Each structure stands twice: as structure tokens, then as C-alpha cells.
Amino acid sequence: MNMIERQLQIAVNKLVAWCNNNGHDISPEKSRCVHFCRKRSIHLDPVIHINNVAIPVVDYIRFLGVIFDRKLTFLPHILHLRKKCERSLNILKVLSRTSWCADRTSLLRIYQVVILSSTDYGCMVYGSARPTVLRRLDTIHHFALRISSGAFCTSPVESLYVICHQRPLHLRRQKISALYFFRAQSVPRHPISQLTLPAFLHRLYAARPSHILPFCERAKMLLHDSDLNDVTIQSPDFFCFPPWDIPHFSYLNPFSGFDKSSTAPVIFQQLFHHHRYQYSSFIPIFTDGSK
């Protein structure tokens, strides 16, 4: 702990010196220090100073919308998210009344935009919480599906998933985590693209199944169970030049001489078919105008 505290203090001093040289200021009162450790009463919390003022040590901190507690259980974040979703459920309760009479499709769309978007955000981070902690969000999911579908309280949960075309939250988190893992692997310099677990830690996690694996290992196990571990991930090297140095592209536009407002649609169709016939040996690619 002494070495960690010394290294952190050196880093903070360099940061404060850079800010002073560039006209910035760091407030010690607005700064917080969190000691991430699951051990109990082994060592004291570090004391970090900014301009000879100690930074307050707190039990949890909110960073980019995700609450990190000192033991990384993510229980404060789940409780905060559950409370936020419970307030948002009032929108569905009002719209599902007979005076408003919103249909199932509208209620499900509102649920996906207002509530599901909040639960999806950062799920690859707080997905390392215990299953008992994550199941606290399932009641919100089930209650919203019952409101949207008009089902009884005794209706089976599996029937709600089928009627509303929704997945359970744990499968939804697995899908989002897999997509994030693929996106991270496609970026060569991504911090987790080359992250591997040492062999001795593999043995440690194998000996203690109750310990939850890191995100990369959990994503690899998920892909292995889904038979997707042999998928080749393409790196996005399409934009290898800066936007101010875009080369000139040559293209054909057979519709340039015709005004859309004064030209019959059949003429555009004939021009299109003639263009496709003239270049029938080429591969057609359809996209929108912004591309």
C-alpha cells in the first residue's frame, strides 16, 4: 500500500503541475479517492493530496453513468438503476389506462426507449455482479412486459417473452457483451483486444468457481458455448487516410440530366435498367446517398 500510495501521489503531482502550467485548476474538494479492495482491515486507505489538501476517500464513485463501489459488487449501481426504472414505469402505467388506451406495440417501444436503454447501458461493466444482484432488475423487466401486454400477474414469465418478443435480461446482456467484445477485437489498439489471463490465474479461477471471471474471459466462454469462437474478426481499416486528404473518386450518374419533379418515374426506371444491363458483369451494391 505504501508503494501504491507513493506512485499515485507522484502521478497526481505531475497532473497538478501540468494543469498549473496550462491554466487549469483541480479542486481537492470536488475530487474523490476510491480504494478498490475486497480485503477487510488489512491495510488503511491511501491518503492522496492535491495542493497539500487530502482527497476525501469514499466507498463508491460514479464514472460515466456507472457507479463503482470499492468491492466492485455493483450493488449500489443496480439499486440506483432499479429505482430509476421504477420511476419510469409510471409512464407505462399512465399510457396503459383505458383513457389513453395505448396498444401493445406502442407500449413496448416506449419501454425499450425509456427503460431498456438504461439497463443496457454499461451492462458489459456491471455484468460481473453476482446473479442474485442482477436478478433485482428482472422484476422491473417482467412488470413492464405485463403492463405492455395486459397479462395477468399469474402469467408465466416465459409466455411474456414469447408474446412481447423480448429476451430475458441475462441473454440481452450476453448479446450486448458479445457485440462489444467483437467491436473491441476489431480495433488493434483497443485496451482489451490483446488482454489475456495468465495461466496461474486460470488455475485460481478453476479452483474457485464462485469467483467471477473478467470480462474478456466471460466473453470467450460465451462465444465458445455459442460455437462462435472460430469467427474471424475483420479490422476496420477502411478509413486509413485523414478526411482532409480524401482521394478523388470517379463515378457515373445517368440521372444527372433529368429533373425529378418534372420527369416521369418510368424514365428513371428505364435508365436504371439500361445501366444495370450495360454493367451486368459488375457486382451491384446498394446504399443510401450519404455514403
Side-chain angles (χ1 to χ4, degrees):
M1 177 54 64
N2 294 330
M3 182 188 67
I4 294 175
E5 183 177 346
R6 184 170 60 253
Q7 294 296 328
L8 287 175
Q9 188 62 59
I10 293 174
V12 170
N13 293 338
K14 292 181 179 180
L15 182 60
V16 171
W18 184 91
C19 292
N20 293 333
N21 294 331
N22 292 272
H24 298 281
D25 189 17
I26 299 179
S27 175
E29 292 77 12
K30 296 182 180 180
S31 303
R32 296 293 183 267
C33 175
V34 182
H35 177 203
F36 295 102
C37 182
R38 296 188 177 183
K39 304 295 182 180
R40 294 183 179 180
S41 302
I42 289 185
H43 37 240
L44 299 176
D45 293 331
V47 180
I48 310 298
H49 295 82
I50 294 180
N51 296 327
N52 297 325
V53 179
I55 303 176
V57 180
V58 295
D59 293 333
Y60 57 88
I61 191 69
R62 185 170 183 172
F63 182 71
L64 295 179
V66 181
I67 300 176
F68 294 85
D69 58 294
R70 63 186 309 162
K71 293 186 178 181
L72 293 180
T73 61
F74 292 101
L75 180 59
H77 178 73
I78 297 296
L79 296 178
H80 172 76
L81 186 60
R82 177 187 172 92
K83 188 176 181 180
K84 177 182 177 181
C85 294
E86 286 177 349
R87 292 195 301 264
S88 301
L89 280 177
N90 295 328
I91 301 177
L92 296 180
K93 293 179 182 179
V94 172
L95 295 179
S96 62
R97 295 178 60 182
T98 56
S99 58
W100 289 82
C101 195
D103 57 352
R104 180 191 305 174
T105 304
S106 301
L107 291 175
L108 287 175
R109 287 177 179 174
I110 295 173
Y111 169 60
Q112 292 176 0
V113 172
V114 177
I115 300 178
L116 269 185
S117 59
S118 300
T119 58
D120 291 344
Y121 177 77
C123 64
M124 67 286 297
V125 178
Y126 73 83
S128 60
R130 295 290 177 183
T132 55
V133 177
L134 294 174
R135 278 197 291 267
R136 294 173 180 262
L137 298 175
D138 292 344
T139 56
I140 302 294
H141 186 49
H142 299 160
F143 188 54
L145 294 182
R146 295 183 194 278
I147 295 176
S148 302
S149 61
F152 293 105
C153 298
T154 57
S155 302
V157 177
E158 291 77 9
S159 301
L160 294 176
Y161 294 150
V162 175
I163 293 174
C164 299
H165 304 284
Q166 293 291 331
R167 290 182 296 271
L169 287 184
H170 71 277
L171 295 180
R172 192 177 182 91
R173 286 191 294 267
Q174 289 179 1
K175 176 187 176 182
I176 296 176
S177 299
L179 293 176
Y180 177 77
F181 181 76
F182 280 133
R183 187 163 61 250
Q185 293 294 322
S186 64
V187 180
R189 296 184 179 181
H190 199 278
I192 68 172
S193 60
Q194 304 296 330
L195 190 61
T196 57
L197 199 65
F200 74 94
L201 287 181
H202 276 288
R203 294 192 296 266
L204 176 63
Y205 282 108
R208 300 177 180 178
S210 61
H211 289 198
I212 299 178
L213 290 168
F215 169 76
C216 292
E217 300 301 323
R218 287 187 282 113
K220 292 177 183 178
M221 291 180 59
L222 174 62
L223 297 179
H224 181 269
D225 296 339
S226 305
D227 198 16
L228 295 174
N229 52 340
D230 295 332
V231 175
T232 304
I233 303 175
Q234 177 66 35
S235 299
D237 54 352
F238 308 108
F239 303 101
C240 54
F241 46 83
W244 55 83
D245 195 19
I246 297 178
H248 177 72
F249 294 97
S250 299
Y251 62 95
L252 300 177
N253 186 11
F255 312 106
S256 59
F258 298 89
D259 188 13
K260 186 176 180 180
S261 60
S262 60
T263 305
V266 65
I267 297 179
F268 289 108
Q269 295 175 4
Q270 293 177 356
L271 289 173
F272 175 75
H273 290 301
H274 176 71
H275 178 79
R276 289 297 303 122
Y277 174 78
Q278 187 177 3
Y279 297 95
S280 58
S281 60
F282 289 71
I283 300 177
I285 298 176
F286 299 92
T287 180
D288 57 357
S290 62
K291 301 297 181 182

